[in-house]
Structures are given as structure tokens and as C-alpha cells.
Amino acid sequence: MKTMTILRTAAIAAMFAASAAQAQQTVINFNALEQPGILGTVIDSYSEAGYNFDNSLWYGLHSAHQDSFAYAGSAGLGATALTTTTLTRADGAAFSLDKISLADYVSVLPGSYDVTFVGTKAGGGTVSQTFTVGDSHSFSDYTFTGFSNLVSASWKEGLLHTYQVDNIGANVSAVPEPGTYAMLLAGLGLLGFMRRRRNAA
């Protein structure tokens, strides 16, 4: 009886281990761009935690330094007016977006304005969501809905308003290790063995 309990526990543990390949959650915070000074950093592309940011303009990405008028309390990623920034996985894997922080970057006119994000789905089709951003240089948090199984996400800066992004919550499904599959098969084998013994008794 004790042996059967041990085998059953081992089989269940193996199946739980196999199902442990959950989504790997990442918060992209652009801390590598944090710098003192009144100017800013101009870059062609940016990579963090397996995610790439590219802009439609050569060296179209920016980040305000800590003493800049556009600094929003932490480093963020801004871009040149009328350009499009695209987020992808470096390994080409599908991903989802949960949240993002947005703040004004450089605007010609005061007042709030709308920002639209477009996600391209791995199986085809797109999803879009629009957020309203205020004109203060202070990050506010927003939540994505339906931004799952994406191969890319993109957003466009306006002509009179540009904005910066920070604290992007992204998830990608983990790929199980070969040993995890072996544990799952062993667990299933143990369950089958236990069932046969029970039926034979």
C-alpha cells in the first residue's frame, strides 16, 4: 500500500513538473537608459530581456536624461514625431502584452491625446487598443486587453504629440526542457502500471 502511494505521488509530481512550463513574465523598464544630464540618448534600436525595439527612422528612438524637461521620473523610450516603433521577440517567439506605462515626451500643444497600439497575431490578424495620455511628464499605467499570441506590437508617434513608454509587462510561453518531457512520460507510465496492477488484483 505504501509503495502504491509513493508511486502515485511520484506520477502526480511528474505531471505537475511537466505543466510548469508557464509563461515567463518580464517587465521591460529601460533602466539601462537611465542617465544624468539635461539632454537625452538617441539610439537606432534597443534590446532588453529578449525583446527588440526598432523604429521606422534611423536613430529615431530617444530617452530623456534625468534633468531633461521630458524626464518622467524614470527612464522611458520615446521616439521622433510621425515614426513607428515596433516591438518583437529576439527569438521570434509569440508573446503577449499585459500592461504599459505612458507619459508625454515632447508635445507642441497642451492637452491630452490618444495613442493607439496595434498587435499582429501569430496566426494572422491584428488587435488594437487606444489609450488617452495626459500632457504631464509623469508615467501613468494602462492595461492591455486581448494582446496575446503576438509576433509584434507597434505604435506611432503623432505630429504634435510624442510620448514615451515604460514598464511594459510582457509574457512568452516557456519551452519545456527535455527532462520535463521525460518526467511526464515516466509519470504517465507509472500511472498506467498502477492501473494494470489494480485491475489484475
Side-chain angles (χ1 to χ4, degrees):
M1 185 62 139
K2 183 181 278 189
T3 303
M4 294 297 288
T5 302
I6 292 171
L7 288 173
R8 186 179 293 113
T9 302
I12 292 171
M15 286 190 290
F16 272 115
S19 65
Q22 300 170 351
Q24 297 174 341
Q25 190 159 75
T26 300
V27 177
I28 304 168
N29 54 28
F30 305 101
N31 284 351
L33 298 175
E34 193 78 43
Q35 291 188 43
I38 62 171
L39 299 176
T41 300
V42 178
I43 52 178
D44 183 39
S45 62
Y46 179 79
S47 297
E48 182 179 332
Y51 293 86
N52 294 336
F53 295 81
D54 295 288
N55 191 264
S56 57
L57 179 68
W58 190 48
Y59 281 88
L61 297 175
H62 316 152
S63 182
H65 290 175
Q66 292 168 350
D67 297 318
S68 166
F69 74 93
Y71 184 70
S74 63
L77 189 68
T80 302
L82 295 180
T83 64
T84 299
T85 302
T86 302
L87 167 65
T88 56
R89 282 280 306 172
D91 59 6
F95 62 95
S96 63
L97 296 178
D98 298 330
K99 64 176 184 174
I100 193 168
S101 297
L102 302 171
D104 188 50
Y105 186 52
V106 179
S107 292
V108 176
L109 299 175
S112 60
Y113 52 96
D114 290 341
V115 174
T116 299
F117 290 81
V118 178
T120 301
K121 295 275 193 174
T126 61
V127 61
S128 66
Q129 191 165 356
T130 300
F131 302 120
T132 300
V133 179
D135 58 2
S136 70
H137 299 299
S138 179
F139 282 113
S140 296
D141 299 330
Y142 301 83
T143 302
F144 287 106
T145 302
F147 273 64
S148 60
N149 198 33
L150 305 177
V151 292
S152 68
S154 61
W155 51 93
K156 186 174 182 178
E157 306 291 334
L159 173 62
L160 302 178
H161 297 282
T162 62
Y163 54 95
Q164 50 193 319
V165 301
D166 195 12
N167 297 321
I168 300 174
N171 296 281
V172 62
S173 295
V175 178
E177 299 283 338
T180 301
Y181 286 118
M183 288 178 68
L184 174 60
L185 291 174
L188 291 173
L190 283 171
L191 285 176
F193 172 75
M194 292 183 324
R195 180 161 291 174
R196 280 196 303 272
R197 287 200 48 177
R198 187 179 300 143
N199 291 340

